[in-house]
Amino acid sequence: MQIDLTEEQRQVRDLCREFAEAELRPNARRWDVEHTFPRDAVRKLADMGLLGVAVPSEWGGAGMDAVTYAVAMEEISRGCAGTGVIMSVNNSLYCDPVLKYGTEEQKRELLAPFARGEKLGAFALTEPMSGSDAAEMRTVAVARGDEYVLDGTKNFITNGPQADAILVFAVTDRAKAHRGITAFLVPTDVAGFSRGKPDEKVGIRASGSCSIFFEGCALPKRLRLGQEGEGFKIAMSTLDGGRIGIAAQALGIARAAYEEAVAYAKERHSFGKKIAEHQAIQFMLADMATELEAARLLVWRAAAMKDRGGRHTAESAMAKLYASEMAERVTSKAIQIHGGYGYVKEYDVERHWRDSRITEIYEGTSEIQRLVISASVLKD
Ligand code: CAA
Ligand code: FAD
């Protein structure tokens, strides 16, 4: 496995790092406090090609690979974790499956403007009564002439408040269980679609999420993605890619907290010396640095496997599991190193800790990642 980045990947990393330093870090605290969607920053991400990183240029994307995407996600999330997830959902959970399963017509209408970042996409799998057990969904799509009629509710939909189209999963044949689930591309201006008020969240508050509702929502059949009954596999294979993005987001959040902890440890004094000179602090920093590097290797490995093609389900789950739990440990240690100042909003480490927490929950909880990994271990 190649461990070094290519020249092009380094250039993208540096560009994203500069952008995050100049445009995201200075604003992230305000977006968190005000719970605001960073519209201008998202427009700039679009100008940089970061909303369709791995989409070929003929469909409006930047035509880069999954490793570059992971590197970019780390840098953007280091600047603002909420902005990171806005980018991640549009790239991995919306553009990726439309590219992979869409018809030419769907790609023209429902991929290119999203990969260019003129429009924003979302992904709706979770429901009020089914999250981890995704196949238990209750939303239905009933075929009627040239249309499907959707009824049901989806919960916690990231980019939901802003999305122009949403990839939605619904049951078309209950008797077939997960093989009776179908995917649809739903433009949000269609009749019978509505959104709830934005969720009030603990972290990643620059990103918006909400419930969405379908009441007799009639969709032309040309908006079905893939074949009838193929929806669950589309959802699962999409999450194999998405989990790399969230793992990279966790890595970015952890790195921000780690860098701030290093700087603080060199400034703050106790017992006549810098706290960085106490071995207890040095050991925490050593553990944080080691875990960050380990997580990055897992993320890059999963991304490199995605680039090579073929299945990378367990590798993505390992990257997401380790990076998200690592981020919670590292951000918590960063608070510890800041002492009382870490617990108040004067410093950013408390936000990093709040932001890290969701990475252990969405795109499959840590428990679900362990199920996916153990299934692969036992099969092998
Ligand atoms: N790729 C392709 N196919 C897959 C697959 C994959 N990675 N994983 C499973 N499948 C297929 C299986 O081969 C099987 O197919 P057949 O039976 O037709 O041969 C079928 O799917 C069912 O597989 P399982 O029996 O393993 O399915 P299950 O019902 O036991 O569920 C699960 C498995 C892993 C727990 C799954 O339900 C899951 O991932 N749950 C978590 C849901 C989740 O991650 N939600 C995230 C929502 S999006 C989000 O959160 C976004 C955000 O925050 C930003
Ligand atoms: P549950 O499935 O009810 O799980 C509750 C607890 O039980 C968890 O600890 C879980 O790990 C555990 N558990 C469940 N089953 C098992 C098992 N078999 N073995 C061991 N433990 C188990 N969803 C989308 O579709 N699109 C989005 O864009 C999206 N964005 C989100 C954004 C935010 C901010 C949040 C909070 C959620 C988002 N989600 C989204 C939903 C997210 O993916 C789910 O919350 C998550 O998959 C868990 O589902 P749940 O909340 O229903 O928990």
Side-chain angles (χ1 to χ4, degrees):
M1 185 190 132
Q2 171 210 329
I3 293 182
D4 276 349
L5 297 179
T6 64
E7 185 52 37
E8 192 192 26
Q9 287 163 343
R10 266 199 295 272
Q11 280 171 7
V12 172
R13 180 197 61 194
D14 295 346
L15 200 71
C16 291
R17 194 171 286 178
E18 281 164 30
F19 173 74
E21 206 53 42
E23 308 269 349
L24 302 180
R25 276 188 86 192
N27 294 307
R29 191 183 302 184
R30 178 170 55 82
W31 295 330
D32 172 67
V33 171
E34 295 172 3
H35 221 313
T36 10
F37 183 80
R39 203 162 288 283
D40 285 350
V42 172
R43 199 169 302 125
K44 288 176 188 165
L45 289 184
D47 294 343
M48 291 165 73
L50 294 176
L51 291 182
V53 176
V55 175
S57 53
E58 61 172 312
W59 298 116
M64 292 184 282
D65 58 13
V67 172
T68 312
Y69 169 60
V71 166
M73 267 300 298
E74 178 184 337
E75 296 302 329
I76 297 302
S77 304
R78 175 181 162 270
C80 171
T83 305
V85 74
I86 296 165
M87 170 176 158
S88 158
V89 166
N90 195 70
N91 274 279
S92 314
L93 298 190
Y94 183 84
C95 289
D96 233 28
V98 183
L99 176 67
K100 194 163 167 194
Y101 299 99
T103 61
E104 294 278 307
E105 186 195 352
Q106 287 172 338
K107 287 182 198 171
R108 217 172 12 256
E109 192 191 333
L110 287 155
L111 174 60
F114 294 76
R116 286 196 293 267
E118 295 156 9
K119 293 186 174 180
L120 198 65
F123 174 95
L125 182 66
T126 306
E127 299 193 355
M129 302 310 289
S130 63
S132 301
D133 191 0
E136 268 301 300
M137 68 180 63
R138 287 286 162 253
T139 297
V140 291
V142 177
R144 193 182 65 189
D146 284 345
E147 296 176 334
Y148 288 96
V149 181
L150 271 67
D151 281 282
T153 301
K154 298 282 178 182
N155 261 17
F156 300 132
I157 305 310
T158 301
N159 291 349
Q162 297 83 21
D164 299 286
I166 306 182
L167 173 55
V168 177
F169 300 89
V171 174
T172 43
D173 187 344
R174 173 89 51 213
K176 292 186 178 156
H178 68 265
R179 292 184 189 152
I181 291 171
T182 302
F184 298 93
L185 292 167
V186 182
T188 52
D189 57 3
V190 72
F193 170 85
S194 61
R195 328 180 203 230
K197 62 177 177 33
D199 300 323
E200 183 69 47
K201 300 193 301 284
V202 168
I204 54 159
R205 288 162 58 89
S207 131
S209 65
C210 66
S211 295
I212 57 173
F213 309 103
F214 302 93
E215 287 173 277
C217 177
L219 282 185
K221 279 199 167 160
R222 65 181 174 80
L223 292 180
R224 187 186 72 215
L225 185 71
Q227 299 305 310
E228 262 196 23
E230 216 188 352
F232 196 69
K233 283 201 175 167
I234 294 177
M236 291 299 113
S237 62
T238 298
L239 288 167
D240 287 346
R243 287 168 184 163
I244 300 173
I246 298 304
Q249 182 201 25
L251 191 53
I253 297 168
R255 206 177 98 221
Y258 161 76
E259 288 171 356
E260 287 158 29
V262 170
Y264 189 80
K266 289 183 183 168
E267 273 167 22
R268 179 78 175 170
H269 286 73
S270 79
F271 298 93
K273 49 177 148 174
K274 291 176 182 161
I275 61 166
E277 291 170 38
H278 298 304
Q279 198 179 51
I281 301 289
Q282 292 168 356
F283 279 16
M284 273 197 268
L285 291 173
D287 287 346
M288 292 157 85
T290 306
E291 290 205 63
L292 268 164
E293 294 295 336
R296 188 174 295 110
L297 289 175
L298 283 175
V299 173
W300 287 7
R301 176 181 74 148
M305 286 189 70
K306 183 171 194 293
D307 283 330
R308 281 207 296 274
R311 190 105 173 231
H312 51 94
T313 304
E315 290 76 10
S316 293
M318 285 179 190
K320 202 258 186 193
L321 172 65
Y322 187 78
S324 61
E325 296 195 343
M326 174 281 295
E328 212 259 337
R329 287 192 293 274
V330 165
T331 54
S332 180
K333 284 196 176 109
I335 291 179
Q336 198 66 19
I337 290 170
H338 280 72
Y341 296 95
Y343 200 68
V344 293
K345 288 183 186 278
E346 193 177 332
Y347 286 85
D348 286 335
V349 284
E350 63 80 28
R351 171 165 54 81
H352 301 320
W353 181 54
R354 286 187 286 111
D355 287 344
S356 78
R357 196 62 187 81
I358 188 62
T359 64
E360 296 172 289
I361 296 171
Y362 59 19
E363 295 209 23
T365 62
S366 286
E367 292 72 32
I368 292 305
Q369 306 311 320
R370 288 187 168 91
L371 280 186
V372 171
I373 296 162
S374 59
S376 152
V377 167
L378 295 171
K379 192 170 108 207
D380 290 351

mmCIF file with all atom_site columns, all heavy atoms in Angstrom, residues 54-72:
data_model
loop_
_atom_site.group_PDB
_atom_site.id
_atom_site.type_symbol
_atom_site.label_atom_id
_atom_site.label_alt_id
_atom_site.label_comp_id
_atom_site.label_asym_id
_atom_site.label_entity_id
_atom_site.label_seq_id
_atom_site.pdbx_PDB_ins_code
_atom_site.Cartn_x
_atom_site.Cartn_y
_atom_site.Cartn_z
_atom_site.occupancy
_atom_site.B_iso_or_equiv
_atom_site.pdbx_formal_charge
_atom_site.auth_seq_id
_atom_site.auth_comp_id
_atom_site.auth_asym_id
_atom_site.auth_atom_id
_atom_site.pdbx_PDB_model_num
ATOM 1   N N   . ALA A 1 54 ? -14.815 13.281 -6.269  1.00 0.00 ? 54 ALA A N   1
ATOM 2   C CA  . ALA A 1 54 ? -14.492 12.062 -7.023  1.00 0.00 ? 54 ALA A CA  1
ATOM 3   C C   . ALA A 1 54 ? -15.424 11.846 -8.216  1.00 0.00 ? 54 ALA A C   1
ATOM 4   O O   . ALA A 1 54 ? -15.433 10.768 -8.812  1.00 0.00 ? 54 ALA A O   1
ATOM 5   C CB  . ALA A 1 54 ? -14.523 10.854 -6.081  1.00 0.00 ? 54 ALA A CB  1
ATOM 6   N N   . VAL A 1 55 ? -16.201 12.875 -8.550  1.00 0.00 ? 55 VAL A N   1
ATOM 7   C CA  . VAL A 1 55 ? -17.084 12.764 -9.720  1.00 0.00 ? 55 VAL A CA  1
ATOM 8   C C   . VAL A 1 55 ? -16.287 13.187 -10.957 1.00 0.00 ? 55 VAL A C   1
ATOM 9   O O   . VAL A 1 55 ? -15.609 14.219 -10.929 1.00 0.00 ? 55 VAL A O   1
ATOM 10  C CB  . VAL A 1 55 ? -18.325 13.682 -9.541  1.00 0.00 ? 55 VAL A CB  1
ATOM 11  C CG1 . VAL A 1 55 ? -19.194 13.681 -10.792 1.00 0.00 ? 55 VAL A CG1 1
ATOM 12  C CG2 . VAL A 1 55 ? -19.127 13.260 -8.307  1.00 0.00 ? 55 VAL A CG2 1
ATOM 13  N N   . PRO A 1 56 ? -16.345 12.399 -12.038 1.00 0.00 ? 56 PRO A N   1
ATOM 14  C CA  . PRO A 1 56 ? -15.582 12.784 -13.235 1.00 0.00 ? 56 PRO A CA  1
ATOM 15  C C   . PRO A 1 56 ? -16.001 14.166 -13.757 1.00 0.00 ? 56 PRO A C   1
ATOM 16  O O   . PRO A 1 56 ? -17.154 14.578 -13.577 1.00 0.00 ? 56 PRO A O   1
ATOM 17  C CB  . PRO A 1 56 ? -15.963 11.700 -14.254 1.00 0.00 ? 56 PRO A CB  1
ATOM 18  C CG  . PRO A 1 56 ? -16.479 10.560 -13.450 1.00 0.00 ? 56 PRO A CG  1
ATOM 19  C CD  . PRO A 1 56 ? -17.078 11.140 -12.203 1.00 0.00 ? 56 PRO A CD  1
ATOM 20  N N   . SER A 1 57 ? -15.061 14.839 -14.423 1.00 0.00 ? 57 SER A N   1
ATOM 21  C CA  . SER A 1 57 ? -15.339 16.214 -14.861 1.00 0.00 ? 57 SER A CA  1
ATOM 22  C C   . SER A 1 57 ? -16.510 16.274 -15.841 1.00 0.00 ? 57 SER A C   1
ATOM 23  O O   . SER A 1 57 ? -17.244 17.261 -15.870 1.00 0.00 ? 57 SER A O   1
ATOM 24  C CB  . SER A 1 57 ? -14.078 16.844 -15.453 1.00 0.00 ? 57 SER A CB  1
ATOM 25  O OG  . SER A 1 57 ? -13.584 15.991 -16.456 1.00 0.00 ? 57 SER A OG  1
ATOM 26  N N   . GLU A 1 58 ? -16.728 15.202 -16.626 1.00 0.00 ? 58 GLU A N   1
ATOM 27  C CA  . GLU A 1 58 ? -17.868 15.250 -17.565 1.00 0.00 ? 58 GLU A CA  1
ATOM 28  C C   . GLU A 1 58 ? -19.202 15.383 -16.834 1.00 0.00 ? 58 GLU A C   1
ATOM 29  O O   . GLU A 1 58 ? -20.188 15.840 -17.415 1.00 0.00 ? 58 GLU A O   1
ATOM 30  C CB  . GLU A 1 58 ? -17.887 13.995 -18.461 1.00 0.00 ? 58 GLU A CB  1
ATOM 31  C CG  . GLU A 1 58 ? -18.043 12.725 -17.680 1.00 0.00 ? 58 GLU A CG  1
ATOM 32  C CD  . GLU A 1 58 ? -18.260 11.483 -18.553 1.00 0.00 ? 58 GLU A CD  1
ATOM 33  O OE1 . GLU A 1 58 ? -19.109 11.524 -19.464 1.00 0.00 ? 58 GLU A OE1 1
ATOM 34  O OE2 . GLU A 1 58 ? -17.577 10.485 -18.290 1.00 0.00 ? 58 GLU A OE2 1
ATOM 35  N N   . TRP A 1 59 ? -19.239 15.016 -15.560 1.00 0.00 ? 59 TRP A N   1
ATOM 36  C CA  . TRP A 1 59 ? -20.461 15.187 -14.761 1.00 0.00 ? 59 TRP A CA  1
ATOM 37  C C   . TRP A 1 59 ? -20.297 16.311 -13.738 1.00 0.00 ? 59 TRP A C   1
ATOM 38  O O   . TRP A 1 59 ? -20.958 16.324 -12.702 1.00 0.00 ? 59 TRP A O   1
ATOM 39  C CB  . TRP A 1 59 ? -20.854 13.870 -14.069 1.00 0.00 ? 59 TRP A CB  1
ATOM 40  C CG  . TRP A 1 59 ? -21.161 12.779 -15.032 1.00 0.00 ? 59 TRP A CG  1
ATOM 41  C CD1 . TRP A 1 59 ? -20.494 11.606 -15.190 1.00 0.00 ? 59 TRP A CD1 1
ATOM 42  C CD2 . TRP A 1 59 ? -22.206 12.767 -16.021 1.00 0.00 ? 59 TRP A CD2 1
ATOM 43  N NE1 . TRP A 1 59 ? -21.047 10.869 -16.204 1.00 0.00 ? 59 TRP A NE1 1
ATOM 44  C CE2 . TRP A 1 59 ? -22.103 11.553 -16.733 1.00 0.00 ? 59 TRP A CE2 1
ATOM 45  C CE3 . TRP A 1 59 ? -23.215 13.671 -16.386 1.00 0.00 ? 59 TRP A CE3 1
ATOM 46  C CZ2 . TRP A 1 59 ? -22.971 11.224 -17.764 1.00 0.00 ? 59 TRP A CZ2 1
ATOM 47  C CZ3 . TRP A 1 59 ? -24.075 13.335 -17.417 1.00 0.00 ? 59 TRP A CZ3 1
ATOM 48  C CH2 . TRP A 1 59 ? -23.948 12.127 -18.101 1.00 0.00 ? 59 TRP A CH2 1
ATOM 49  N N   . GLY A 1 60 ? -19.412 17.236 -13.994 1.00 0.00 ? 60 GLY A N   1
ATOM 50  C CA  . GLY A 1 60 ? -19.327 18.442 -13.166 1.00 0.00 ? 60 GLY A CA  1
ATOM 51  C C   . GLY A 1 60 ? -18.402 18.339 -11.966 1.00 0.00 ? 60 GLY A C   1
ATOM 52  O O   . GLY A 1 60 ? -18.286 19.285 -11.183 1.00 0.00 ? 60 GLY A O   1
ATOM 53  N N   . GLY A 1 61 ? -17.730 17.198 -11.787 1.00 0.00 ? 61 GLY A N   1
ATOM 54  C CA  . GLY A 1 61 ? -16.893 17.026 -10.600 1.00 0.00 ? 61 GLY A CA  1
ATOM 55  C C   . GLY A 1 61 ? -15.436 17.360 -10.845 1.00 0.00 ? 61 GLY A C   1
ATOM 56  O O   . GLY A 1 61 ? -15.053 17.821 -11.924 1.00 0.00 ? 61 GLY A O   1
ATOM 57  N N   . ALA A 1 62 ? -14.620 17.122 -9.808  1.00 0.00 ? 62 ALA A N   1
ATOM 58  C CA  . ALA A 1 62 ? -13.194 17.447 -9.887  1.00 0.00 ? 62 ALA A CA  1
ATOM 59  C C   . ALA A 1 62 ? -12.377 16.265 -10.414 1.00 0.00 ? 62 ALA A C   1
ATOM 60  O O   . ALA A 1 62 ? -11.176 16.406 -10.663 1.00 0.00 ? 62 ALA A O   1
ATOM 61  C CB  . ALA A 1 62 ? -12.684 17.855 -8.511  1.00 0.00 ? 62 ALA A CB  1
ATOM 62  N N   . GLY A 1 63 ? -12.998 15.100 -10.545 1.00 0.00 ? 63 GLY A N   1
ATOM 63  C CA  . GLY A 1 63 ? -12.329 13.946 -11.159 1.00 0.00 ? 63 GLY A CA  1
ATOM 64  C C   . GLY A 1 63 ? -11.144 13.420 -10.362 1.00 0.00 ? 63 GLY A C   1
ATOM 65  O O   . GLY A 1 63 ? -10.205 12.882 -10.939 1.00 0.00 ? 63 GLY A O   1
ATOM 66  N N   . MET A 1 64 ? -11.198 13.569 -9.039  1.00 0.00 ? 64 MET A N   1
ATOM 67  C CA  . MET A 1 64 ? -10.068 13.066 -8.229  1.00 0.00 ? 64 MET A CA  1
ATOM 68  C C   . MET A 1 64 ? -10.455 11.724 -7.578  1.00 0.00 ? 64 MET A C   1
ATOM 69  O O   . MET A 1 64 ? -11.507 11.185 -7.847  1.00 0.00 ? 64 MET A O   1
ATOM 70  C CB  . MET A 1 64 ? -9.658  14.124 -7.221  1.00 0.00 ? 64 MET A CB  1
ATOM 71  C CG  . MET A 1 64 ? -9.050  15.337 -7.941  1.00 0.00 ? 64 MET A CG  1
ATOM 72  S SD  . MET A 1 64 ? -8.421  16.627 -6.870  1.00 0.00 ? 64 MET A SD  1
ATOM 73  C CE  . MET A 1 64 ? -9.890  17.452 -6.369  1.00 0.00 ? 64 MET A CE  1
ATOM 74  N N   . ASP A 1 65 ? -9.553  11.222 -6.707  1.00 0.00 ? 65 ASP A N   1
ATOM 75  C CA  . ASP A 1 65 ? -9.811  9.886  -6.161  1.00 0.00 ? 65 ASP A CA  1
ATOM 76  C C   . ASP A 1 65 ? -10.261 9.944  -4.695  1.00 0.00 ? 65 ASP A C   1
ATOM 77  O O   . ASP A 1 65 ? -10.352 11.019 -4.103  1.00 0.00 ? 65 ASP A O   1
ATOM 78  C CB  . ASP A 1 65 ? -8.571  8.995  -6.350  1.00 0.00 ? 65 ASP A CB  1
ATOM 79  C CG  . ASP A 1 65 ? -7.344  9.585  -5.674  1.00 0.00 ? 65 ASP A CG  1
ATOM 80  O OD1 . ASP A 1 65 ? -7.500  10.523 -4.862  1.00 0.00 ? 65 ASP A OD1 1
ATOM 81  O OD2 . ASP A 1 65 ? -6.229  9.113  -5.943  1.00 0.00 ? 65 ASP A OD2 1
ATOM 82  N N   . ALA A 1 66 ? -10.524 8.758  -4.149  1.00 0.00 ? 66 ALA A N   1
ATOM 83  C CA  . ALA A 1 66 ? -11.050 8.691  -2.781  1.00 0.00 ? 66 ALA A CA  1
ATOM 84  C C   . ALA A 1 66 ? -10.003 9.096  -1.742  1.00 0.00 ? 66 ALA A C   1
ATOM 85  O O   . ALA A 1 66 ? -10.350 9.645  -0.692  1.00 0.00 ? 66 ALA A O   1
ATOM 86  C CB  . ALA A 1 66 ? -11.565 7.277  -2.496  1.00 0.00 ? 66 ALA A CB  1
ATOM 87  N N   . VAL A 1 67 ? -8.722  8.817  -2.029  1.00 0.00 ? 67 VAL A N   1
ATOM 88  C CA  . VAL A 1 67 ? -7.684  9.233  -1.076  1.00 0.00 ? 67 VAL A CA  1
ATOM 89  C C   . VAL A 1 67 ? -7.657  10.770 -1.006  1.00 0.00 ? 67 VAL A C   1
ATOM 90  O O   . VAL A 1 67 ? -7.622  11.358 0.086   1.00 0.00 ? 67 VAL A O   1
ATOM 91  C CB  . VAL A 1 67 ? -6.294  8.665  -1.464  1.00 0.00 ? 67 VAL A CB  1
ATOM 92  C CG1 . VAL A 1 67 ? -5.194  9.265  -0.588  1.00 0.00 ? 67 VAL A CG1 1
ATOM 93  C CG2 . VAL A 1 67 ? -6.289  7.138  -1.339  1.00 0.00 ? 67 VAL A CG2 1
ATOM 94  N N   . THR A 1 68 ? -7.721  11.418 -2.161  1.00 0.00 ? 68 THR A N   1
ATOM 95  C CA  . THR A 1 68 ? -7.741  12.894 -2.175  1.00 0.00 ? 68 THR A CA  1
ATOM 96  C C   . THR A 1 68 ? -8.960  13.401 -1.407  1.00 0.00 ? 68 THR A C   1
ATOM 97  O O   . THR A 1 68 ? -8.884  14.372 -0.647  1.00 0.00 ? 68 THR A O   1
ATOM 98  C CB  . THR A 1 68 ? -7.793  13.413 -3.629  1.00 0.00 ? 68 THR A CB  1
ATOM 99  O OG1 . THR A 1 68 ? -6.802  12.726 -4.379  1.00 0.00 ? 68 THR A OG1 1
ATOM 100 C CG2 . THR A 1 68 ? -7.552  14.908 -3.687  1.00 0.00 ? 68 THR A CG2 1
ATOM 101 N N   . TYR A 1 69 ? -10.076 12.730 -1.608  1.00 0.00 ? 69 TYR A N   1
ATOM 102 C CA  . TYR A 1 69 ? -11.304 13.121 -0.906  1.00 0.00 ? 69 TYR A CA  1
ATOM 103 C C   . TYR A 1 69 ? -11.104 13.023 0.619   1.00 0.00 ? 69 TYR A C   1
ATOM 104 O O   . TYR A 1 69 ? -11.483 13.931 1.371   1.00 0.00 ? 69 TYR A O   1
ATOM 105 C CB  . TYR A 1 69 ? -12.457 12.222 -1.374  1.00 0.00 ? 69 TYR A CB  1
ATOM 106 C CG  . TYR A 1 69 ? -13.709 12.326 -0.562  1.00 0.00 ? 69 TYR A CG  1
ATOM 107 C CD1 . TYR A 1 69 ? -14.383 13.546 -0.457  1.00 0.00 ? 69 TYR A CD1 1
ATOM 108 C CD2 . TYR A 1 69 ? -14.223 11.227 0.120   1.00 0.00 ? 69 TYR A CD2 1
ATOM 109 C CE1 . TYR A 1 69 ? -15.546 13.655 0.303   1.00 0.00 ? 69 TYR A CE1 1
ATOM 110 C CE2 . TYR A 1 69 ? -15.377 11.323 0.879   1.00 0.00 ? 69 TYR A CE2 1
ATOM 111 C CZ  . TYR A 1 69 ? -16.029 12.537 0.966   1.00 0.00 ? 69 TYR A CZ  1
ATOM 112 O OH  . TYR A 1 69 ? -17.165 12.632 1.724   1.00 0.00 ? 69 TYR A OH  1
ATOM 113 N N   . ALA A 1 70 ? -10.492 11.923 1.067   1.00 0.00 ? 70 ALA A N   1
ATOM 114 C CA  . ALA A 1 70 ? -10.271 11.740 2.509   1.00 0.00 ? 70 ALA A CA  1
ATOM 115 C C   . ALA A 1 70 ? -9.336  12.822 3.055   1.00 0.00 ? 70 ALA A C   1
ATOM 116 O O   . ALA A 1 70 ? -9.561  13.368 4.145   1.00 0.00 ? 70 ALA A O   1
ATOM 117 C CB  . ALA A 1 70 ? -9.695  10.348 2.779   1.00 0.00 ? 70 ALA A CB  1
ATOM 118 N N   . VAL A 1 71 ? -8.323  13.135 2.282   1.00 0.00 ? 71 VAL A N   1
ATOM 119 C CA  . VAL A 1 71 ? -7.361  14.162 2.707   1.00 0.00 ? 71 VAL A CA  1
ATOM 120 C C   . VAL A 1 71 ? -8.074  15.522 2.804   1.00 0.00 ? 71 VAL A C   1
ATOM 121 O O   . VAL A 1 71 ? -7.911  16.268 3.783   1.00 0.00 ? 71 VAL A O   1
ATOM 122 C CB  . VAL A 1 71 ? -6.186  14.216 1.690   1.00 0.00 ? 71 VAL A CB  1
ATOM 123 C CG1 . VAL A 1 71 ? -5.348  15.456 1.884   1.00 0.00 ? 71 VAL A CG1 1
ATOM 124 C CG2 . VAL A 1 71 ? -5.337  12.946 1.805   1.00 0.00 ? 71 VAL A CG2 1
ATOM 125 N N   . ALA A 1 72 ? -8.895  15.817 1.804   1.00 0.00 ? 72 ALA A N   1
ATOM 126 C CA  . ALA A 1 72 ? -9.635  17.091 1.800   1.00 0.00 ? 72 ALA A CA  1
ATOM 127 C C   . ALA A 1 72 ? -10.616 17.139 2.966   1.00 0.00 ? 72 ALA A C   1
ATOM 128 O O   . ALA A 1 72 ? -10.732 18.163 3.657   1.00 0.00 ? 72 ALA A O   1
ATOM 129 C CB  . ALA A 1 72 ? -10.368 17.263 0.471   1.00 0.00 ? 72 ALA A CB  1
#
